[in-house]
Amino acid sequence: MMKMHAGFRTAAVAAAAGTLLLGLSGCTKYDTTKPSGARTATADDAKPAAAFGTVDCRKAKCVALTFDAGPSRNSPRLLDILKEKKVPATFFLLGKNHIASHPDLVKRMAREGHELASHTWDHKILTDIDDAEIRREFRSVDDAVEKLTGKRPTLMRPPQGRTNDHVSKLAKEEGLAQVLWDVTTKDYTLPPSKTITERAVSQTHRDSIILLHDIYKNTVPAVPGIIDRLKAKGYVFVTVPQLLAPGKAEPGKIYKP
């Protein structure tokens, strides 16, 4: 589901707090902000928000575990693992056939302290549809999550990571910041769980945002190994808002390590 189209190329030019990315056509461009850039943009004495205890990512070696396109029938086991290991995650939820089919899991995710975000309603490529459709993709998920949990999402992940400045403008109007990633296990190709674990651990560094999908059968069994091995390396797991704290995700901005 998250596989990039063939021919997708990126070019990066380092900027003070972000990166300029060139997308599919070579002329699609947008700026990204690193988590460290979000943190340093705030007064030094500001207090970071934290759900699973107080974590200051200006000092701790933080990483964010994120899951796209759920909830699914695999999510209960995943939530059991996260609860047992005391690890918070950020869930980029898909609306159609997911939020709509598993409302109790959405409530459980919120109740157990995870961050709930949007992965759109129909997983449409946002750069390929008109403004009205983009707004529907945003609002349908946000309305559904708010109805179930009382809290409206402030984060969104574009399907396949496909975005541009115009999508960012519309996201800003809806109060949404976009969150990309730097670690992918390509679990959508259904590799063995051991391979998923190895790929996640080998790519992760401080401030990484790890992309996984709890909709695939081999992903959830890989999660305990990812957590245990990264903890052994001194990493602390946080939600995306914790990773940015004491800064806050600003609507219209794109965050990527």
Side-chain angles (χ1 to χ4, degrees):
M1 181 172 291
M2 285 296 303
K3 191 172 183 179
M4 298 294 183
H5 288 182
F8 185 83
R9 297 291 184 269
T10 61
V13 180
T19 305
L20 177 68
L21 297 186
L22 302 181
L24 287 171
S25 66
C27 60
T28 300
K29 57 184 180 180
Y30 50 86
D31 291 317
T32 66
T33 299
K34 294 179 180 293
S36 58
R39 294 195 295 265
T40 57
T42 308
D44 289 341
D45 60 350
K47 294 181 179 179
F52 280 58
T54 300
V55 179
D56 188 342
C57 293
R58 295 169 297 182
K59 301 175 182 178
K61 196 163 71 169
C62 294
V63 294
L65 202 56
T66 71
F67 296 89
D68 281 12
S72 75
R73 63 184 181 180
N74 302 318
S75 300
R77 176 58 185 145
L78 173 60
L79 290 170
D80 290 343
I81 292 168
L82 297 174
K83 186 175 183 179
E84 176 188 348
K85 294 186 176 295
K86 298 180 172 59
V87 166
T90 302
F91 288 92
F92 290 90
L93 304 176
L94 195 60
K96 187 177 181 181
N97 299 326
H98 293 272
I99 293 174
S101 299
H102 302 282
D104 290 343
L105 288 176
V106 176
K107 292 177 181 178
R108 180 182 171 187
M109 290 170 177
R111 185 169 65 248
E112 294 184 358
H114 303 291
E115 184 72 20
L116 303 190
S118 170
H119 195 42
T120 74
W121 188 261
D122 284 302
H123 205 263
K124 293 178 179 177
I125 304 305
L126 300 177
T127 53
D128 292 345
I129 59 179
D130 64 30
D131 289 8
E133 286 184 286
I134 293 173
R135 290 189 176 96
R136 280 195 296 271
E137 288 293 302
F138 291 163
R139 292 175 185 174
S140 296
V141 170
D142 294 349
D143 289 346
V145 172
E146 185 175 32
K147 183 176 180 180
L148 290 169
T149 70
K151 182 180 178 182
R152 196 168 185 84
T154 59
L155 305 176
M156 183 273 291
R157 176 167 285 162
Q160 297 185 358
R162 301 282 295 275
T163 191
N164 57 27
D165 286 341
H166 186 66
V167 172
S168 295
K169 175 180 177 292
L170 297 179
K172 182 177 182 179
E173 292 173 3
E174 299 299 322
L176 294 167
Q178 297 181 76
V179 179
L180 302 180
W181 62 89
D182 64 316
V183 176
T184 177
T185 65
K186 298 184 179 179
D187 56 353
Y188 49 79
T189 63
L190 304 182
S193 297
K194 181 179 179 180
T195 300
I196 294 172
T197 300
E198 292 291 340
R199 288 174 177 173
V201 172
S202 65
Q203 295 177 48
T204 296
H205 55 79
R206 184 175 182 178
D207 286 349
S208 277
I209 297 176
I210 303 169
L211 168 63
L212 295 165
H213 302 78
D214 49 329
I215 58 174
Y216 299 122
K217 64 179 183 179
N218 293 339
T219 299
V220 172
V223 171
I226 294 171
I227 292 171
D228 291 345
R229 289 178 59 182
L230 289 178
K231 280 186 174 181
K233 290 175 175 285
Y235 289 102
V236 178
F237 289 91
V238 295
T239 64
V240 170
Q242 287 174 303
L243 189 65
L244 305 181
K248 292 184 179 180
E250 296 183 30
K253 283 195 172 183
I254 303 171
Y255 294 89
K256 181 182 184 298

